[in-house]
Amino acid sequence: MIPAELNDAAFIVVQLEPTELDDIKALRDTLRHFAVFDESASSQVRAHAQQAATSLSLILLGGACDATELLAQASSAIDAAISTADAAQRHEPRLSASDLHAIVHNTVAAVALSDAMAPTVAVPTLVPTVVSVPAVPVPPVSVPPVSVQPPAASDGGVIPADADLSLLSDFIAESRESTTGAEAALLELEVNPDDIEAINTVFRAFHTVKGTAAFMGLDRLAEFAHHAESLLSRVRDRAVPYTQAVADLSLRSNDVLREFLDGIETSVQSRETIALPGEYAALMFDLLNVDAVLAGVTMERVKVVAPERSAAVAVRGGAKTDADLSVRVRTDRLDRLIDMVGELVIAQSMIAADPAVINSGQHDLVKKVSHAGKIMRELQELSMSMRMVPLKSTFQKLTRLVRDVALKAGKVVELITDGDETELDRNMVDAIADPLVHMVRNAVDHGVESPEDRERAGKPRAGRVTLAAFQQGGSVIVELRDDGRGLNRDRILAKAIEKGLVSPNQSLTDSEINALIFAPGFSTAETVTDISGRGVGMDVVRRNIESIRGRIDIQSVLGQGTTFQIRLPLTLAVTDGMLVRVGDERYIVPLTSISLSFRPEPAMLSTIPPHGEVVMLRGEVLPVVRLHQVFGIRGAVRTPSDAILMIVGEREHRVALLVDQLLGQQQVVAKTLGEGVGDIPGISGGAILSDGRVGLIIDVARMTSIARTADARPRGLNAA
């Protein structure tokens, strides 16, 4: 059956005059829309329609071309499309392979010239995928050098007036999931270009976005997705190999799709035109001239090694997938639910600790209150698990970052990820995203050497960066390791002395020298690049990690590499802690930070100027932090042998906290102190205790820093 659009076009084109520009433009747009979106027509038919649209576009551009001749060419192309459709209907042979290639390539050349002269014209390039033909030599297309300016923001179109906003919101959310999966598959293809399942994943993502966008009336997005999909279609059909050039174009296309979605979301809220992504014009030009782009890019591949994946399991007998078993919930509602569950936990603990219940003598009442407490704990654990998310998406973004930074720096980097299914509180994942970006960028740019330097040092040309996550006790450990040049502690110390961060005669351990890189503005880079080297970022890294009660440690061997280890609590919402008394005040020390508690003998304590008071424990010298001095509490026990020392922290960061009494273990709902109170050194938040009083939560990382900082110890430790 011959498409009605072609019959109408054939009738209109023979009546057009070269001066009837509005009618020519309308016919061109009709042919374009048919060529891009009518998938019921064969590729040959759509290619002829595209050729006709290109001839009409050249008329609109004016110039030296004969408009009458171009109209005749458009008419001939439409007739060819009708003939091809009619022949297909009668099961007659279609066009030859050489004719088909000639049509496509001539269209590409005309489109490139057309787009260059008029950036607002976006002519799609169709690539035949339904016919399997042997490769036919085609002369290279000569395209004159041109400058493509980005289209105006209004060219992005508008949200249709009759659009269903709820459907549009679902489309944006689902499309973002599709682009996230597409990026992971594209990076996997760089390791295994023959992974047909990864190719299909990307193709399906682009195809789904295209089809739904067309249904929603978002023609510009649908048109762009079509061009990106066409490139992947050629890869899937083995017409072109998955090279570095294809990878770059596909990843750039995926990025532009995401920016398109952001622009649509903004347009929905503002009711303004959709802003086109900044790289839209340049990328469209590359996609329209894809053969020239693919012929001109050869680069050493960046290797990305992901965790081993189990074989795909087919869904049989109507088995439900993850999508069928999940539902989207607004994050603000989820946060509100967790807050309310926290309030219920507090209320239940206050009831359970009420003397009227404890001393009532009614066994059934006490039993029911205890049962309610058990249900509340299970409800709390369930609600908290709803906010736990795997680190997979964060690791995936860093995988892309390693690839891009390595290419920009001219390095070859092998990224290994492990433990990306480790779960963490969603708020924690958001908080560590930026610190990890800074650290990974520095590892690739500063840590890993160039391929030539690595060869001279006897190392493989490809550097290795390992990103791992695992759970240890009540904490999650995120490790970033590289096998690069390592930290040069002599240079770090010299730069720190030059900047006045330490005095020349000050004695520092290796760990303390490593920690100097977290000083604001500190950098030992000899040159500043657009990637890094200005000393901005590492101070932000430590500040952001400590703000969520985490800690970062560094281990490095010169010439062998560096390891950054981030230790984080599983969640910020609930804290399992030891309730302690200092004077009349109550404090909560996180259980995960406590190694042991003991009452010291007088012989274990001593004072070492200028470091202050210390305790000798099993051959290890640990600083003593008297909490009553740090917080100015009166009436506290001052003699250590009459009080309790709690050993908190890890390895070289361990210190001993002096408290009056241990009151018992308690699970509390952590609350921020609020802007009115501000930041209190050594305190991370507060919690309502079972007796209704407020207990402050000790920030162990900050407390150990206070204890080991030279200017803080005399104030906090030496006074009696």
Side-chain angles (χ1 to χ4, degrees), residues 270-467:
S270 63
R271 308 305 298 178
E272 297 177 353
T273 55
I274 301 170
L276 282 177
E279 200 186 2
Y280 171 81
L283 185 54
M284 279 292 287
F285 185 80
D286 286 346
L287 289 173
L288 292 170
N289 299 278
V290 67
D291 292 318
V293 174
L294 298 185
V297 180
T298 55
M299 297 185 68
E300 198 164 5
R301 186 179 303 278
V302 175
K303 298 172 67 177
V304 180
V305 181
E308 294 185 1
R309 298 181 301 176
S310 58
V313 180
V315 179
R316 301 184 180 90
K320 293 187 177 181
T321 64
D322 289 343
D324 298 323
L325 300 175
S326 62
V327 62
R328 288 192 180 91
V329 179
R330 287 170 54 97
T331 55
D332 57 342
R333 293 179 179 175
L334 182 59
D335 290 342
R336 180 60 178 160
L337 170 65
I338 293 174
D339 288 341
M340 294 306 297
V341 170
E343 296 298 330
L344 279 173
V345 171
I346 294 171
Q348 195 279 333
S349 63
M350 294 176 68
I351 293 173
D354 194 312
V357 174
I358 297 175
N359 302 324
S360 65
Q362 300 184 28
H363 177 72
D364 288 343
L365 175 61
V366 175
K367 184 178 179 181
K368 291 174 182 176
V369 170
S370 176
H371 181 64
K374 179 184 177 185
I375 295 174
M376 284 305 309
R377 285 191 296 273
E378 292 179 355
L379 177 61
Q380 185 181 35
E381 291 175 0
L382 176 61
S383 62
M384 289 305 307
S385 67
M386 294 169 62
R387 204 163 69 172
M388 303 293 282
V389 296
L391 287 165
K392 186 173 184 178
S393 61
T394 301
F395 278 20
Q396 182 176 312
K397 294 174 184 176
L398 296 173
T399 299
R400 174 70 183 278
L401 177 68
V402 168
R403 175 195 184 276
D404 294 345
V405 173
L407 286 176
K408 200 167 189 177
K411 298 179 179 180
V412 184
V413 179
E414 179 183 5
L415 177 68
I416 299 175
T417 59
D418 185 31
D420 57 4
E421 295 299 330
T422 303
E423 290 189 337
L424 201 59
D425 190 297
R426 177 181 59 82
N427 294 338
M428 303 281 287
V429 173
D430 294 341
I432 66 170
D434 287 342
L436 283 176
V437 165
H438 285 295
M439 294 164 61
V440 168
R441 184 185 291 118
N442 282 345
V444 176
D445 191 37
H446 294 310
V448 176
E449 310 95 329
S450 66
E452 296 75 18
D453 290 343
R454 291 182 64 85
E455 283 186 334
R456 283 192 291 268
K459 298 181 179 181
R461 282 178 60 83
R464 174 173 292 187
V465 174
T466 303
L467 189 61

Side-chain angles (χ1 to χ4, degrees), residues 218-232:
L218 305 170
D219 292 341
R220 181 72 76 172
L221 173 57
E223 181 185 33
F224 176 81
H226 168 75
H227 290 299
E229 173 196 36
S230 297
L231 175 59
L232 266 297

Side-chain angles (χ1 to χ4, degrees), residues 179-189 198 202 251 254 258 309 392 396:
T179 55
T180 299
E183 181 174 271
L186 287 169
L187 294 173
E188 179 70 22
L189 280 171
V202 184
L251 286 168
N254 201 57
R258 286 174 171 169
R309 298 181 301 176
K392 186 173 184 178
Q396 182 176 312

Side-chain angles (χ1 to χ4, degrees), residues 495-525:
K495 181 67 71 171
I497 293 174
E498 177 187 329
K499 288 181 169 289
L501 298 176
V502 296
S503 60
N505 58 353
Q506 189 172 348
S507 177
L508 298 177
T509 65
D510 288 350
S511 177
E512 290 171 332
I513 295 175
N514 291 341
L516 290 173
I517 69 172
F518 294 114
F522 186 88
S523 176
T524 59

